[in-house]
Amino acid sequence: MNAAAPRASVKRARTLNFFALAGVTAISLAASTAMLNLLADRYAARVDVTATGEQQLAPRTTQLLSQLAGSTQLIVAADFRTIDPRARQYVTDVTDELAARSREFSTTLIDTGSARGVSDFKGTIASLVQRDRTILDAHAAAIDAGAQAATSVSRSLTEGIEPQFAQLAQAGFATPTLRTYANQAGAVLRLRASDLADASIRVKQDLTPDDLGLPRLDEAQRTLLERLDQAASDLSALARDVRRLSQDAATPAQATRQLTALATQLDTARDATLTQLGKLRELRRPDLLRVAAALRTGAAALLVGPAGGDGASSLVALDMGQLLPSAAWLDATEASRGDQRRRVEELVAAALASVLAPKKPIVVFTHAELRAFMDEAPVIDAMRERLGLRGVDFVEWPVVTQDAPAIAEVDPTLARPLVYVVISPDSAARSETGALSGTQRAAKLAQTITNLREKGSNLLMCLLPSMLPSFGEKDPVAVALEGFGVQARTGTPLLSRVATPQFTYVENERVVQTTDAGEHVIASAVRGLPTYLTWCVPLEAATDSRGWAASPVLTTPADAQTWGESQWLRVYQTPREQVPLIPDQPKFDEGRDLRGSGVWTLALAAEKDGQRAVVVGSNSWITDKYSEQMGTVEGRQTLLFPGNVELFEASVLWLAGQDTMIAQSPAARSVAMVRAIESPSLARLRWSIVLGLPGLVLLVAVIYGMTRK
Amino acid sequence: MIAAHVLPAWALARRELSSYFRQPAGWIIIALFLLLTGVVFAFAVLVPARPASMRAFFDASGWLLLPVAPAISMRLLAEEFRTGTVEGLMTAPISTPALVLGKFCGSVLFLTAMLAPTLVYPITLMAVSDPAPDVGPIVAGYLCLLLLGVLYLSLGLLASSATANATLAFIVTLFLILALLLVGTLGRQVDGVLRDAIFAMSLPPRLSDFAKGVIATNHIAWFLTLSALACGVAMMFVQWRRWR
């Protein structure tokens, strides 16, 4: 019995020893595993074994990643039920590779089709708002101050100035003219006061955060700017009229004193209004507001860069339609062997470049119309919005009636690159009374173009045909463009013969889809994208290049049905739907018309000693009417002519010297595709694989079993 | 060293491999695996007018091996424990590491033999594609399949070494593999360091890299170190039984 006790205790001790050793071993093994994996992650090497290196990031992307100085996050929010799995896979392929290359880069995918996703989306926006709280609050405070000033001006009009006009109208010494004028002036003042008070109320509502936590600061600012601008204009006119009336000999002496005092008060009110206008115009738009419209749609792709020096984050919105295209688009891209993965990488890289580039360009929209119209008429609103997402601002310059715009209002540092987008005037336009004709405005614009070239400015020229060459004269705009080494045949725009069962007529509008215009970065950006152009002016490098190197960007094949027509004016002046009814349609005339060989060049990029110019032989392509035509594909709204948008964006960025921000289009590459197999053959092949291989294995098993016996 | 460990392990591996083919179960496992993979290849890869890529096949590999690997590994040691034949092995002049590794290598060789017929798929794809598909991602995909099989079998070996019940070993292995496949879903519910730690254990992102043609050394290290850890713990279980 005594021997059994020591044996049991020895066994117990040995058991404990064993388990202790086993425990230590297990912990050591686990710790070693963890350590090895940490080291492997830290010093990981990734080898792309694809033949084309398609999973490798482009050198430009790798360079941009290396420049990231802080945490940069790509947030993609969409209802994944509507997203093609291939599109999502391309995005995750690229973002996985980016995250593997840079610890600063991360991605968040939010499915807004799920309840949690919606909550995550709102949470993301809330965190962005919080991040930019300082600048948003400052912006809101400035707008609020503007609203209060508007209220103050409104009060001064209704309580101070308008009663004096009413008094004047009822005064015994008032002449009928004076009485009528005083009543009218009072009505105008009441209207403006009401507008300003109304604006203040609307601004207060807009400053209240919406369900996403975003105040509608843009709308508030726009409302105030409109109303204050109108009020300033009316007050200025009133002050001028009142002063003139006070100096009129027919005005009674008692009225003269009152009118003089009223003029001074009107001036004071106008000055107060203008002061507020100036302050509001100087406000720098926070990045979060640029992307607010995209956020409110519930589907957005944002690149959030590190916070800037002023506490605000750098935000760029990516085009969802291009980042996550529809199944139809992917089918077409794959069929044409386009590299959609590379396209996604380009989009993200362009956004990275945008975040890293502190100096966003300013577009100076330059034209020869009689007055500014950019803010009044929605002609290029969509283009402004798209480029606005990247931080690009627009100013307008009607060269005929105004001097060059004060860029300092938009960019106090004057460090941002300027890009002049110049629109040809309609040379066939008749002159209104007292105004310049189309030809005169063209001459003025041509002078502006020459001045810009001599200053070393960069410009995007959008051409219209000119009727002057038809009369043996030179188009001044075309002459000015020769200074850039570009020859524009503005006298012979392209027309194409179209034959239908009812009519044979000429067509000026065309959809261009260039695939082989060359390797210029803009050509690469628009490659394969449908681009809608009207009244195309053929372009070529001038015989005397003057040192300019010109590269084609957009081309179209020169077929037998298309020629440069010199007698185009009649077609131009006929409404489009009536063109087929024109008797005696224009025909090609060997003596005066232009026949192309090979291709027609419709857009050129020229460069000399760092100065750049892009010339597009069409005018209306940048307008919303053509660039924003939408179609519904698989329940999603898609741009029908994305080439218009891409051409404009790429041109502006190239002209601003920000080539790295230009995303390239899917280049054609050799993609292995499964051949089209007839259904019966396909079914046979599939079932022979599914059942044939296992059957073969079982047969071998039976044979093996039998041979063993 | 070679005489003491490697030669006995190799002999055991060969014996284990031949035992799979001596029984109908081994052939049936191969046939069922080919049925499963055939369905995926035929209907997810062999789609006319789509890119000729086996990516969908390799992306699904984690799930394709899920029912098969536990079936291969469940009897490795559990059956020996149940029938008592392990006593002969324990008393034989073979070290515990050699015993465990021999069993493990035998199952890996069987897995390799099971994967070999699937080479018909890329050959078929090359025959019906224009131009021929990129070979690089296919090679990467098969490397992934092999590494995945090694990991699954090591987990199965671990489960088999811990119990004498083969069915229990099968179930435990199944759940261990499912945990690796599904842990990423759990990771999305948490934040911070815990999230990173959970995602580090997740399998699908690693499969995806191989499937698209990227061979990452950290993924290879992950597969091999986890397999080694599982085999190491299995050795401890066997040593415990031996010692007992």
Side-chain angles (χ1 to χ4, degrees), chain A residues 11 14-15 18-19 22-23 25-26 29-30 33 36-37 40-41 43-52 54-55 86 89-90 92-94 96-97 116 331 334 337 670-677 682 685-687 689-691 693-694 697-698 700-701 704 708, chain B residues 21-22 27-28 30-31 34-35 38-39 41-43 45-52 55 59 117 120-121 124-125 127-134 136-137 140 188-189 206 208-209 212-219 221-222 225-226 229 232-233 236 239-240 243:
Chain A
K11 191 176 179 185
R14 285 174 66 190
T15 306
F18 177 83
F19 278 108
T25 308
L29 278 174
T33 304
L36 281 170
N37 276 288
D41 270 342
Y43 298 105
R46 293 172 70 82
V47 180
D48 179 353
V49 295
T50 59
T52 52
E54 65 192 58
Q55 298 297 337
R86 289 171 292 168
Q89 187 171 78
Y90 287 127
T92 50
D93 278 356
V94 169
D96 285 349
E97 207 56 39
R116 189 191 159 95
D331 287 340
E334 284 170 355
R337 319 260 161 135
S670 181
V671 176
M673 302 289 280
V674 178
R675 282 198 294 267
I677 306 172
L682 182 64
L685 182 61
R686 280 175 169 166
W687 288 113
I689 287 171
V690 172
L691 297 174
L693 266 180
V697 165
L698 291 173
V700 170
Y704 179 73
R708 276 191 62 235
Chain B
F21 288 107
R22 273 201 300 272
W27 295 97
I28 291 172
I30 295 177
L34 289 174
L35 180 68
V39 167
F41 175 76
F43 295 98
V45 175
L46 218 56
V47 179
R50 282 285 165 92
R55 184 167 176 174
D59 269 337
V120 167
Y121 304 149
T124 306
L125 192 63
V128 300
S129 304
D130 177 36
D134 194 350
R188 286 186 212 112
Q189 312 302 320
R206 303 176 191 275
S208 181
D209 270 350
K212 69 187 182 191
V214 174
I215 298 177
T217 54
N218 57 325
H219 294 338
W222 186 83
T225 52
L226 275 186
L229 177 64
V233 177
M236 284 167 51
Q239 184 64 17
W240 177 60
W243 175 85

Side-chain angles (χ1 to χ4, degrees), chain A residues 530-693:
Chain A
T531 310
Y532 200 102
L533 302 173
T534 64
W535 286 105
C536 299
V537 171
L539 306 169
E540 54 197 58
T543 318
D544 176 11
S545 70
R546 306 184 197 193
W548 286 85
S551 309
V553 162
L554 267 185
T555 59
T556 192
D559 58 50
Q561 303 305 316
T562 304
W563 72 98
E565 174 61 54
S566 59
Q567 306 302 308
W568 54 275
L569 194 57
R570 188 164 49 119
V571 178
Y572 184 80
Q573 291 174 329
T574 304
R576 186 158 186 264
E577 59 278 7
Q578 294 175 21
V579 166
L581 302 175
I582 298 176
D584 207 17
Q585 294 273 334
K587 290 187 183 57
F588 175 73
D589 185 314
E590 190 72 45
R592 60 188 184 198
D593 294 339
L594 204 60
R595 182 66 87 181
S597 64
V599 296
W600 295 104
T601 301
L602 303 179
L604 273 178
E607 189 166 5
K608 173 184 171 185
D609 298 333
Q611 189 179 4
R612 292 175 168 181
V614 176
V615 182
V616 180
S618 178
N619 195 340
S620 311
W621 62 279
I622 66 168
T623 61
D624 292 355
K625 180 181 171 188
Y626 297 105
S627 70
E628 288 299 306
Q629 287 193 40
M630 304 289 271
T632 305
V633 180
E634 296 164 9
R636 292 170 63 192
Q637 286 287 292
T638 316
L639 278 178
L640 289 177
F641 307 111
N644 291 55
V645 171
E646 199 57 47
L647 179 60
F648 188 71
E649 283 189 18
S651 298
V652 167
L653 293 170
W654 184 71
L655 290 167
Q658 295 178 352
D659 303 19
T660 53
M661 288 171 63
I662 300 172
Q664 307 296 296
S665 256
R669 65 183 177 103
S670 181
V671 176
M673 302 289 280
V674 178
R675 282 198 294 267
I677 306 172
E678 285 175 4
S679 293
S681 304
L682 182 64
R684 271 198 299 275
L685 182 61
R686 280 175 169 166
W687 288 113
S688 63
I689 287 171
V690 172
L691 297 174
L693 266 180

Side-chain angles (χ1 to χ4, degrees), chain B residues 67-113:
Chain B
V68 173
I72 296 173
S73 62
M74 68 186 198
R75 289 174 51 253
L76 277 176
L77 286 166
E79 189 69 10
E80 307 265 12
F81 295 145
R82 187 184 69 81
T83 58
T85 50
V86 71
E87 301 302 333
L89 278 175
M90 296 295 192
T91 52
I94 177 172
S95 63
T96 304
L99 169 62
V100 171
L101 286 177
K103 290 278 187 181
F104 179 63
C105 289
S107 63
V108 170
L109 286 172
F110 178 73
L111 178 88
T112 310

